[in-house]
Amino acid sequence: MPNKGTKVYCPNCRKFTICRALSPTKAGKPKAQRWYKTDHRDISWFRRARACSSCESLFLTAEIDERILEELIALRTNLAKKNLAIVGHVRSTRPWLVRTEDVPRELAEEFIRRTAWWHTHSSGSPVRAPKHSDRIYRSHHGWTIDFGANSFLVGKAISRCSIEINKFIDGSISGNLQEIVDLKKKLIMHIRGAVANNNQDEYAGYYSLTGPDMMFGAQSIDVEDGANFIIQKSGINELICP
Ligand SMILES: [Zn+2]
């Protein structure tokens, strides 16, 4: 495919890619390209069908006065605020929607004491920040700690690690013992997967690392520390490895 055409945001690739402009008829729409909403005449746009050269998906775009987009964003923000109030009521009246926390608070606190760092200390080197453990609270995700615009879901991280530890233990009695280094990699992924944004919306992927650290502004959680802590606490060191 020649690299010909304008870069446009492809909703499937979720990035700007070269997209060919096509007639709307290619997307099964009428040929006309100038549209408006009869009950909102200011919402008038120029329609194009676009074909992404990366993923070949076909989508429609609307060339429109940007102020309409600003209005959309303001409305979205407003709607989110209204829903936030409703969500509080919905969850408080339906306990089954809230995760039952089975990780003891002391364990969650110890995890934070052993993994939290502060990166702008006057010494110039990162220092451990055990006092963060005082800030743990219970959200619908279970034990949670906020770091600026993100929340680390420490209860979920430990809980998912415990499932992994149990797989390791089951393996040891079926003669199928994993290497500790492989277990550690899996634990690290569970820790990196337990982060939410400031709306308490858990990220679908894994939080990025800087060295061994998930950086939250000047704060961090060291995922190596986290995996080592879980392994040390789990007692699996007592198992006999070949
Ligand atoms: Zn695409």
Side-chain angles (χ1 to χ4, degrees):
M1 183 62 60
N3 282 354
K4 224 172 72 181
T6 311
K7 278 196 169 180
V8 173
Y9 185 81
C10 167
N12 188 42
C13 295
R14 295 179 179 229
K15 61 180 183 186
F16 285 87
T17 60
I18 292 171
C19 296
R20 298 186 305 285
L22 302 170
S23 162
T25 57
K26 298 281 185 198
K29 296 289 179 185
K31 207 167 105 191
Q33 292 192 285
R34 288 169 189 84
W35 293 86
Y36 61 87
K37 289 279 174 191
T38 47
D39 45 352
H40 296 276
R41 289 293 297 260
D42 61 323
I43 303 184
S44 298
W45 69 97
F46 186 81
R47 173 184 275 170
R48 283 191 184 95
R50 290 277 185 180
C52 172
S53 62
S54 271
C55 72
E56 288 303 320
S57 71
L58 202 64
F59 54 97
L60 293 169
T61 61
E63 192 166 321
I64 199 165
D65 181 349
E66 273 198 16
R67 282 172 296 183
I68 301 291
L69 292 184
E70 298 296 337
E71 188 183 331
L72 172 67
I73 293 161
L75 288 169
R76 268 192 181 185
T77 309
N78 214 352
L79 187 70
K81 268 188 209 153
K82 285 189 172 155
N83 274 335
L84 186 63
I86 299 168
V87 161
H89 170 72
V90 165
R91 287 211 176 105
S92 68
T93 52
R94 293 165 185 82
W96 62 271
L97 284 178
V98 179
R99 178 170 173 265
T100 307
E101 184 58 273
D102 43 19
V103 171
R105 184 185 176 109
E106 298 69 38
L107 185 63
E109 285 181 354
E110 199 180 346
F111 184 99
I112 297 298
R113 281 200 296 277
R114 297 277 291 270
T115 60
W117 291 81
W118 168 249
H119 288 256
T120 51
H121 190 255
S122 53
S123 69
S125 307
V127 292
R128 290 196 179 270
K131 282 237 153 64
H132 282 308
S133 65
D134 298 345
R135 299 195 297 107
I136 288 176
Y137 67 97
R138 206 172 204 150
S139 76
H140 67 280
H141 293 290
W143 299 124
T144 300
I145 179 168
D146 294 342
F147 289 111
N150 291 289
S151 301
F152 176 52
L153 312 177
V154 55
K156 275 192 170 174
I158 295 172
S159 182
R160 291 169 187 166
C161 284
S162 90
I163 294 170
E164 208 60 64
I165 293 286
N166 273 303
K167 283 189 203 162
F168 183 91
I169 292 171
D170 290 344
S172 77
I173 51 179
S174 68
N176 180 24
L177 199 63
Q178 286 182 68
E179 300 258 3
I180 291 273
V181 282
D182 293 333
L183 171 67
K184 201 167 148 182
K185 280 182 199 156
K186 288 176 187 162
L187 298 179
I188 285 173
M189 296 314 273
H190 288 306
I191 296 166
R192 291 176 60 195
V195 181
N197 66 19
N198 57 350
N199 295 320
Q200 297 274 312
D201 193 2
E202 188 173 352
Y203 293 120
Y206 299 100
Y207 200 82
S208 62
L209 290 183
T210 305
D213 290 292
M214 299 195 289
M215 295 300 304
F216 305 108
Q219 256 83 244
S220 80
I221 293 291
D222 183 322
V223 297
E224 297 262 349
D225 284 349
N228 290 335
F229 170 72
I230 294 286
I231 289 170
Q232 179 238 314
K233 282 303 248 191
S234 71
I236 57 171
N237 290 331
E238 295 172 25
L239 298 171
I240 301 158
C241 297

